[in-house]
Amino acid sequence: MENVVPATGGEVRSVSASADPVREGSAAAAGGSPLRRGLPRVRGGEPWPPTGVAVPGGAASAPAPVVQADAARIAEAAQASSSAPAATAAAAAASAVDIPSAERTTASGTSLRRGLPRVAGGEPWPPAGSVRAVAAPAVVSEVPEQAAPAVSIAATSAAAIAEPATAEAATSVVRRPDVSAPLPFTRTVWNGAAPRRVSAEPAPSRLRPTWPQAIGGLFAAAGLAVLAGAAIAIVRAFLSLPFMQDFLTTYPGEYHLPAGAPVGLPAWIGWQHFFNVFLMTLIIRSGLRVRSEKRPTAFWTPRGNPKGKISLTLWFHQGLDLLWILNGVVFIVLLFVTGQWMRLVPTSWEVFPNALSAALQYVSFDWPTENGWVNYNSLQQLAYFTVVFLAAPVAIATGFRMSGLWPKKAEGLSKAYPIEVARALHFPTMLFFVAFIVVHVALVLLTGMLRNLNHMFAAQDAVTWTGFWVFLLSLAVIAGGWIAARPLVLAPIAKLFGQVSGR
């Protein structure tokens, strides 16, 4: 390793020391202390700085051949530097080397371009005046590796001596820059793989079946179709028996209403029917959304009750429930005021055998005679009675128990009517309404579509297209309500009754 330090008078002395065996010949070096090489400045170039860069110090000189005795004294000075203080070791090393000034030679080189500073706020590196120096190998005795700092200090002291005529020794030691630490810099390239944002796989929706479930559903549908065809064939064969023919004659599927029962369907029933279907559709939609919604996007808080904060979807569901209850109350009142209740409430025990007769006729596809303008068949009457007077009250009671309107302080009432019971009944009740709507609409379309639609939407007993167009218009309104049931539309309405906030 070559150690070069600047000396007084613009000269630089160099001493070569290594752990290799002794080499023959003399050593000549130039320049200053060698710099540690780092990364290249250009792609594919050589490491920077180039080989032979020295600390600036003016002209360089090459020492005379070092004899064996001088090498021994350098080794002794190196051992002293390992135990003595730095100043004492430097003095011992300085006295161990005596290089005549006449043997110093001047080295020349090209100036190096200065770059970034080694420390923040410092001067550009290398220092001004650094040159590319060419050094010749020198032969010295084998010196331990730890003697290198002492040799460098000794060379510095020897180089600090003036011209031969001056006998005064140097009184100060020149410290060379520390090049052992790497250059400080700010990392601009991330040494790693591209960053990834691994998100948890969303849970499968309860309403969106997987492929195995879809295939299983297709097989189940095919199986149901086979069973339905078999049931139709069996029932038709059963009804062809003589005693079943007598049963159908005795119980054709309906019985006569009490005297004074109204004939026909007034317009208010048609409007009530449409509004009920509209509310039921949105209630089912919002109810399913409440069950599947895990992180609501908006919340509603009643005024004066910060603890009553609920999701905007739940507020919409409960608001629809209140409108549905209000519409049902009006419907019940008008039923009993106008006498239309006799069309829905059974008034004779004959309703049960006639309902069985009507069910068998439906299954056999030899459907009973429809005369809904005057009277419903017994199966229809029982179905409508169950929906209006049984299923609707169960839905209201269970929904009220699960809502925020339930009195929290009524501990005895809450214990007598646990919320778990309400939850166990509320969802199956909704499924019953869905099944009823599907079957009801199918039978309306299959058993005289134009006449049935005129009964419900045009309040007339005729086979025309009026009720059909009104029905299509009602479907468009229902579809518009389904699409509009989102936070962007619901939030302004909800603000009229409380405070709306985000997540």
Side-chain angles (χ1 to χ4, degrees):
M1 174 177 146
E2 183 181 66
N3 296 279
V4 182
V5 295
T8 60
E11 295 180 349
V12 178
R13 291 189 180 274
S14 174
V15 177
S16 298
S18 65
D20 296 332
V22 179
R23 301 177 184 177
E24 296 181 358
S26 61
S33 301
L35 300 181
R36 187 170 62 86
R37 305 178 70 188
L39 298 176
R41 296 178 65 90
V42 296
R43 182 186 296 273
E46 293 294 328
W48 186 262
T51 304
V53 173
V55 175
S61 61
V66 180
V67 295
Q68 188 70 24
D70 292 339
R73 286 191 295 168
I74 293 174
E76 292 176 0
Q79 293 179 356
S81 65
S82 62
S83 59
T88 305
S95 63
V97 180
D98 183 15
I99 303 176
S101 59
E103 296 175 358
R104 289 174 288 192
T105 59
T106 302
S108 62
T110 58
S111 299
L112 297 178
R113 184 165 62 89
R114 304 176 70 188
L116 297 176
R118 290 174 67 95
V119 295
E123 293 295 329
W125 188 263
S130 298
V131 297
R132 186 190 306 272
V134 180
V139 179
V140 297
S141 300
E142 183 176 355
V143 181
E145 185 178 358
Q146 61 269 20
V151 173
S152 177
I153 298 174
T156 303
S157 301
I161 302 174
E163 293 297 325
T166 306
E168 182 181 0
T171 58
S172 62
V173 178
V174 180
R175 295 183 180 178
R176 63 185 180 86
D178 181 17
V179 295
S180 61
L183 295 176
F185 66 98
T186 303
R187 189 180 298 276
T188 59
V189 180
W190 186 53
N191 57 344
R196 289 182 182 176
R197 293 182 179 178
V198 180
S199 57
E201 184 177 356
S205 175
R206 297 180 180 179
L207 303 180
R208 184 180 300 173
T210 60
W211 280 109
Q213 292 174 344
I215 296 175
L218 292 177
F219 279 104
L224 290 177
V226 173
L227 292 178
I232 293 172
I234 292 174
V235 170
R236 291 180 69 90
F238 181 68
L239 291 179
S240 64
L241 298 177
F243 75 94
M244 287 305 302
Q245 290 292 319
D246 296 338
F247 176 80
L248 294 178
T249 302
T250 306
Y251 302 103
E254 62 177 354
Y255 65 95
H256 297 290
L257 298 178
V263 176
L265 299 172
W268 65 266
I269 289 183
W271 285 106
Q272 285 279 331
H273 183 269
F274 159 73
F275 197 47
N276 181 74
V277 174
F278 177 79
L279 292 176
M280 284 292 299
T281 303
L282 296 183
I283 287 173
I284 293 172
R285 180 188 186 277
S286 59
L288 294 175
R289 180 65 178 172
V290 169
R291 287 179 59 88
S292 61
E293 192 175 47
K294 294 182 179 180
R295 298 187 64 187
T297 57
F299 294 89
W300 177 84
T301 306
R303 294 189 179 95
N305 184 17
K307 296 182 179 180
K309 184 177 181 180
I310 58 176
S311 68
L312 186 62
T313 307
L314 182 57
W315 171 85
F316 181 55
H317 182 74
Q318 294 180 357
L320 292 172
D321 289 339
L322 294 177
L323 292 177
W324 183 67
I325 293 173
L326 179 61
N327 181 69
V329 170
V330 174
F331 179 73
I332 297 298
V333 171
L334 292 178
L335 277 182
F336 285 95
V337 169
T338 60
Q340 291 288 337
W341 64 270
M342 288 180 284
R343 299 168 60 89
L344 302 181
V345 180
T347 57
S348 173
W349 292 107
E350 295 181 359
V351 66
F352 296 107
N354 278 289
L356 176 60
S357 174
L360 292 175
Q361 293 177 62
Y362 278 124
V363 173
S364 67
F365 271 69
D366 187 10
W367 292 336
T369 303
E370 294 289 339
N371 192 16
W373 187 254
V374 177
N375 186 19
Y376 298 131
N377 65 54
S378 295
L379 187 61
Q380 287 178 303
Q381 189 180 49
L382 288 178
Y384 297 154
F385 176 82
T386 301
V387 169
V388 175
F389 296 100
L390 296 180
V394 170
I396 294 172
T398 54
F400 175 66
R401 178 63 182 90
M402 295 186 298
S403 70
L405 301 176
W406 180 263
K408 302 296 187 299
K409 297 182 180 180
E411 297 180 358
L413 186 60
S414 299
K415 187 176 182 179
Y417 183 20
I419 192 173
E420 291 77 13
V421 175
R423 290 173 178 169
L425 294 177
H426 194 71
F427 185 69
T429 304
M430 185 272 293
L431 295 179
F432 169 78
F433 277 111
V434 173
F436 171 80
I437 292 173
V438 171
V439 175
H440 176 66
V441 173
L443 290 178
V444 166
L445 299 179
L446 293 176
T447 60
M449 178 185 68
L450 295 180
R451 188 179 183 185
N452 291 332
L453 292 178
N454 272 331
H455 291 172
M456 292 187 295
F457 293 96
Q460 59 181 357
D461 185 25
V463 182
T464 62
W465 290 91
T466 304
F468 176 78
W469 297 119
V470 177
F471 171 67
L472 290 184
L473 179 61
S474 68
L475 290 181
V477 174
I478 294 172
W482 183 286
I483 297 173
R486 57 187 60 194
L488 182 64
V489 179
L490 298 179
I493 302 175
K495 288 181 180 179
L496 301 176
F497 305 95
Q499 298 178 355
V500 177
S501 59
R503 182 181 302 172

